[in-house]
Amino acid sequence: GYALHEIIVDQNGVPYDYRFLDVNPAFESQTGIARDEWIGKSVRQVLPDLEREWIDAFGKVALTGEPTRFERYVPSLGKHYSVVAFSPQPGRFAVLTIDVTGRKKTEDEIHFKNALLSILQEASLDGILAVGHEGRILFHNQRFVDMLGIPPEMFETGVNLPLLNAAAEAVADPEDFKRTIDSLYKHSDATCRDEVELKDGRTLDRYSAPMFGPDGRYYGRVWYLRDITDRRRAEWNIRLHSAALNAADDLVAIMDDSGRIVFANEAFRRQTGYDPGEIVDGDISTVWPETVCGMPIGEIWKSLESGSAWCGEMICRSKDGCTHTADVSITPIADENGRPAHWVAIARNITDRKVQEGLLDYQAHHDSLTDLPNRVKFAQELAATLTDRRCQQQCAVLFVDLDRFK
């Protein structure tokens, strides 16, 4: 676009406006304003919100004759312009304009995406490194530097090879580390995911993938490192705890808030005949229908919902239909809000103990020679009869002593 103007100054010779003398069709097209609305009018009349910097810049050109070049935004037109201004004669100036709105929009989008990418890189839990196809470092984040303990100045060179050697010094097996990387660079389309052990005992999850453009052009390779040391330790602790639970003689089951079994140990199989995978998602009442006293598991569950623990003796029904007596304790596990979310049940088969207790009780209340009830049993029965209010009949007690019975 082309436009010719004359500068307007105040009584002190300071520019405060300028008037349009001529514009070409391209200028009309770029501004969206017809020639008739420009010619003979000042810029303040046509564009009243134009920034003062425009007038100052053009005033200097018109009064000094020095040309200038700049890019600025015109709010009322909503466009960016690249402007070249020069003075054909004193007091006047001409401008050549190019509408660069599309280019500026593209640049702004690129700047935004670059800023967003930079933020995401630095906020990532992963250490990130991108290397171009020619072996130069394209970008990296601080977490990558911290993970491997590489001096920051090594990244400033932009060369990948010294960086690779420095990284290899931090791993437990440097040669294997280098072989894997060399293999990936030789096979540009290959991806890799493995774990790298460091000399300091940490474990890194390593992932690498090629960078291809939409046209299939190869741009290089990106590397992601994540410290999984804590996760590995947690996994080991889970395996350790699981092994301990499975080695226990006591039955252990974990139930959700509806009474469904979500975990069962090996002792569960030994005591009930159900495989853990077979009983998971089943109802606990399948195994423990009621207490020894006849209280159904449903009643116990109502008390458990309040968050209190329960313990007692229950009838345990095996898969084959057989039953035995179990000493059971059920303890709640609270969620992050303090509400019961799961329950841990621990049960021990006490059938043999109950048999022994019954035998001892029988021996304590019966004569070993005649197998008849002894005096202790007699005293208990008599006391029970005398205190039984339901018994309305009279009773007589006869004491007989047999001499030389033995």
Side-chain angles (χ1 to χ4, degrees):
Y2 168 82
L4 179 64
H5 319 76
E6 64 177 355
I7 198 70
I8 302 175
V9 299
D10 59 17
Q11 58 184 2
N12 297 318
V14 178
Y16 69 90
D17 204 346
Y18 57 86
R19 184 176 294 105
F20 288 84
L21 302 178
D22 191 18
V23 299
N24 72 347
F27 190 88
E28 294 180 87
S29 177
Q30 289 180 7
T31 60
I33 299 176
R35 172 185 172 84
D36 293 342
E37 297 182 41
W38 288 113
I39 303 303
K41 296 180 180 178
S42 72
V43 73
R44 289 298 190 193
Q45 292 176 304
V46 183
L47 304 174
D49 61 344
L50 189 70
E51 296 175 344
R52 175 71 192 187
E53 288 80 2
W54 288 80
I55 298 174
D56 293 339
F58 290 148
K60 183 177 180 181
V61 172
L63 298 179
T64 66
E66 297 179 6
T68 188
R69 178 192 296 269
F70 58 84
E71 289 185 3
R72 283 204 179 93
Y73 178 69
V74 180
S76 56
L77 300 180
K79 292 185 177 184
H80 290 270
Y81 293 97
S82 174
V83 178
V84 176
F86 59 94
S87 176
Q89 64 184 78
R92 292 188 177 186
F93 66 95
V95 297
L96 300 175
T97 61
I98 300 176
D99 185 349
V100 295
T101 305
R103 191 197 75 195
K104 294 292 290 186
K105 183 178 180 180
T106 301
E107 290 176 351
D108 290 343
E109 290 178 353
I110 292 174
H111 291 157
F112 170 75
K113 290 179 179 179
N114 287 340
L116 180 61
L117 179 61
S118 178
I119 293 172
L120 293 176
Q121 288 172 0
E122 293 304 325
S124 175
L125 295 175
D126 300 328
I128 304 173
L129 172 70
V131 181
H133 67 280
E134 75 288 353
R136 297 191 65 82
I137 299 171
L138 300 179
F139 62 82
H140 70 281
N141 65 353
Q142 185 61 39
R143 194 173 296 273
F144 187 90
V145 179
D146 297 339
M147 280 184 176
L148 295 176
I150 300 174
E153 56 268 18
M154 296 196 69
F155 291 89
E156 297 175 1
T157 64
V159 181
N160 183 44
L161 184 58
L163 184 67
L164 171 61
N165 293 329
E169 292 300 318
V171 304
D173 190 344
E175 295 305 317
D176 181 68
F177 181 80
K178 291 181 179 180
R179 278 195 301 270
T180 301
I181 294 177
D182 290 341
S183 176
L184 290 173
Y185 279 123
K186 290 177 182 177
H187 303 85
S188 59
D189 58 342
T191 60
C192 171
R193 184 157 202 167
D194 60 1
E195 293 182 1
V196 178
E197 301 291 338
L198 301 185
K199 291 179 179 178
D200 60 9
R202 290 179 296 143
T203 302
L204 302 182
D205 179 84
R206 175 176 62 180
Y207 175 73
S208 179
M211 296 184 294
F212 288 104
D215 57 354
R217 179 183 175 185
Y218 176 69
Y219 288 100
R221 180 168 290 276
V222 63
W223 302 85
Y224 296 91
L225 299 178
R226 175 169 292 193
D227 191 335
I228 58 171
T229 306
D230 291 340
R231 190 188 78 189
R232 288 283 297 274
R233 289 173 181 167
E235 290 172 350
W236 166 249
N237 287 333
I238 291 173
R239 289 195 297 268
L240 184 64
H241 295 162
S242 179
L245 288 174
N246 286 323
D249 289 332
D250 292 343
L251 178 155
V252 179
I254 300 177
M255 302 160 288
D256 63 13
D257 56 0
S258 64
R260 290 186 309 109
I261 300 172
V262 297
F263 170 82
N265 67 347
E266 283 297 317
F268 195 103
R269 177 185 58 79
R270 295 193 297 269
Q271 293 189 28
T272 67
Y274 290 101
D275 289 329
E278 187 179 11
I279 197 63
V280 166
D281 287 337
D283 195 282
I284 194 62
S285 62
T286 303
V287 179
W288 296 325
E290 61 185 8
T291 67
V292 172
C293 300
M295 179 186 293
I297 186 66
E299 293 298 318
I300 297 174
W301 200 255
K302 290 180 181 179
S303 65
L304 290 172
E305 290 177 345
S306 65
S308 59
W310 181 91
C311 62
E313 295 181 358
M314 300 194 73
I315 300 298
C316 181
R317 180 184 293 121
S318 301
K319 184 178 180 181
D320 59 6
C322 296
T323 60
H324 66 265
T325 305
D327 188 9
V328 180
S329 66
I330 305 177
T331 305
I333 301 176
D335 60 16
E336 61 273 10
N337 298 316
R339 294 189 295 267
H342 290 82
W343 283 262
V344 176
I346 301 175
R348 175 170 294 180
N349 189 337
I350 59 172
T351 302
D352 293 341
R353 191 188 81 188
K354 298 295 288 186
V355 170
Q356 291 297 320
E357 288 176 352
L359 179 60
L360 291 173
D361 181 76
Y362 186 86
Q363 291 174 345
H365 296 89
H366 290 77
D367 183 78
S368 60
L369 180 62
T370 64
D371 205 29
L372 295 174
N374 59 15
R375 289 187 180 185
V376 175
K377 180 69 172 178
F378 170 74
Q380 289 179 349
E381 293 292 336
L382 178 61
T385 302
L386 294 176
T387 57
D388 188 353
R389 296 181 180 180
R390 295 174 299 174
C391 182
Q392 301 297 325
Q393 298 178 354
Q394 294 181 346
C395 64
V397 178
L398 178 65
F399 181 81
V400 179
D401 187 14
L402 300 179
D403 294 332
R404 293 185 298 279
F405 178 74
K406 298 180 179 179

